[in-house]
Amino acid sequence: MDLAPHIVHEIVARALAEDVGTGDLTSLAAIPAAVHAGATFVLREPAVVCGLPVVQAVFAALDPALEVRVLVDEGSHAAAGTPIASVSGPARAIVSGERVALNLLQRMCGVATLTARYVEAVQGTQARILDTRKTTPGLRALEKYAVRMGGGTNHRFALYDGVMLKDNHLAILAAQGFGLAEALRRTRAAVGPMVRVEVEVDTLEQVQVAAEAGADMILLDNMSPADLRTAVAIIAGRALCEASGGITLATIRAVAESGVDYISVGALTHSARAVDIGLDM
């Protein structure tokens, strides 16, 4: 569940280049180079803590003399007022890295915290919460890691590591005279038996065709809980079932109780609110 260090390094380097650039003019002008200081990251609200390795990477990139202490476990649930990490060393570097560290930490805590709420909402059912590719450009690795920290499960990371026939693929193929069953057959033949093939459907008739054509996973798009239950019965274990489409905390329990295996929620990453965290000097 760890983040790949080279990915963290790349993201942090881009963020610091964007925010600090050739130097923090304010700190260089106002703070003497010899001054040392300490600061503590403190939660202003309850949250799932996520992103502490990224905070460490930010300050390590700015000045190796900075020392970051992690005060709570990554992925833990912490109350408002909890100190979660501290940093000490050259004061210039601390204030120069403050905004980048907070931006990434607050974002990751927000995704993890929202994910945990969805996971809690389906407790007692067989459904597992999936993320999507609806991520912030350039931050996908961090956001999908945060989903895992919140108890969710990652769907495919990108277009290159999973096959998923969506409505636009099927529309293009239909215009060429290939129906759903033939689209699945052609796709399966192209990728071979070791790659799972998922297909998106939005009618019960398509569910029947997809199950009979050998789809490994069927995405049930924008179906009511009643239709989801019928779809699960039609599939009858021949494929995994994924529910998707506008699912919220208010509706997810009914979706989970339909018997689907997975529920994908784009909001985990595209609508998570940044957690309020302060850096107290």
Side-chain angles (χ1 to χ4, degrees), residues 224-258:
S224 68
D227 281 348
L228 288 172
R229 287 192 294 272
T230 302
V232 170
I234 291 171
I235 294 167
R238 289 177 289 179
L240 295 170
C241 311
E242 174 189 345
S244 184
I247 297 167
T248 67
L249 282 168
T251 62
I252 196 167
R253 184 72 191 185
V255 172
E257 290 174 346
S258 70

Side-chain angles (χ1 to χ4, degrees), residues 108-130:
M108 294 174 73
C109 286
V111 171
T113 301
L114 182 59
T115 300
R117 294 180 67 193
Y118 275 90
V119 170
E120 182 181 13
V122 302
Q123 286 296 315
T125 72
Q126 70 178 25
R128 298 173 67 183
I129 303 300
L130 292 177

Side-chain angles (χ1 to χ4, degrees), residues 202-221:
D202 54 19
T203 69
L204 294 175
E205 291 75 18
Q206 289 178 316
V207 171
Q208 183 75 46
V209 173
E212 292 176 352
D216 298 303
M217 191 165 178
I218 301 174
L219 188 154
L220 309 167
D221 189 43

Side-chain angles (χ1 to χ4, degrees), residues 14-270:
R14 288 197 302 269
L16 289 173
E18 176 182 67
D19 198 47
V20 180
T22 56
D24 174 1
L25 289 181
T26 306
S27 297
L28 291 172
I31 301 176
V35 173
H36 280 223
T40 303
F41 291 89
V42 180
L43 291 179
R44 305 294 195 222
E45 61 180 307
V48 175
V49 178
C50 180
L52 298 178
V54 178
V55 170
Q56 291 174 307
V58 169
F59 290 114
L62 280 167
D63 192 331
L66 289 171
E67 179 185 0
V68 176
R69 294 181 59 227
V70 171
L71 304 177
V72 299
D73 291 335
E74 183 83 343
S76 62
H77 294 245
T82 301
I84 60 175
S86 65
V87 56
S88 59
R92 281 181 176 176
I94 293 176
V95 293
S96 294
E98 173 182 359
R99 179 43 50 201
V100 168
L102 279 171
N103 282 350
L104 295 174
L105 181 64
Q106 289 177 298
R107 176 66 182 158
M108 294 174 73
C109 286
V111 171
T113 301
L114 182 59
T115 300
R117 294 180 67 193
Y118 275 90
V119 170
E120 182 181 13
V122 302
Q123 286 296 315
T125 72
Q126 70 178 25
R128 298 173 67 183
I129 303 300
L130 292 177
D131 56 19
T132 70
R133 288 168 39 244
K134 297 174 183 177
T135 55
T136 307
L139 296 184
R140 180 170 294 172
L142 301 189
E143 292 178 349
K144 281 186 170 279
Y145 166 82
V147 167
R148 299 196 302 273
M149 287 293 101
T153 300
N154 293 149
H155 207 294
R156 59 179 176 167
F157 186 82
L159 294 174
Y160 57 74
D161 68 346
V163 172
M164 186 173 181
L165 286 166
K166 294 180 67 66
D167 54 354
N168 284 339
H169 300 107
L170 297 174
I172 292 169
L173 291 170
Q176 303 303 309
F178 303 120
L180 176 56
E182 179 63 11
L184 281 165
R185 188 197 67 77
R186 291 167 62 88
T187 303
R188 167 64 69 206
V191 300
M194 300 302 291
V195 177
R196 185 167 71 184
V197 175
E198 181 172 11
V199 62
E200 177 183 0
V201 302
D202 54 19
T203 69
L204 294 175
E205 291 75 18
Q206 289 178 316
V207 171
Q208 183 75 46
V209 173
E212 292 176 352
D216 298 303
M217 191 165 178
I218 301 174
L219 188 154
L220 309 167
D221 189 43
N222 283 298
M223 290 190 180
S224 68
D227 281 348
L228 288 172
R229 287 192 294 272
T230 302
V232 170
I234 291 171
I235 294 167
R238 289 177 289 179
L240 295 170
C241 311
E242 174 189 345
S244 184
I247 297 167
T248 67
L249 282 168
T251 62
I252 196 167
R253 184 72 191 185
V255 172
E257 290 174 346
S258 70
V260 295
D261 301 293
Y262 296 101
I263 303 172
S264 55
V265 182
L268 301 182
T269 51
H270 72 57

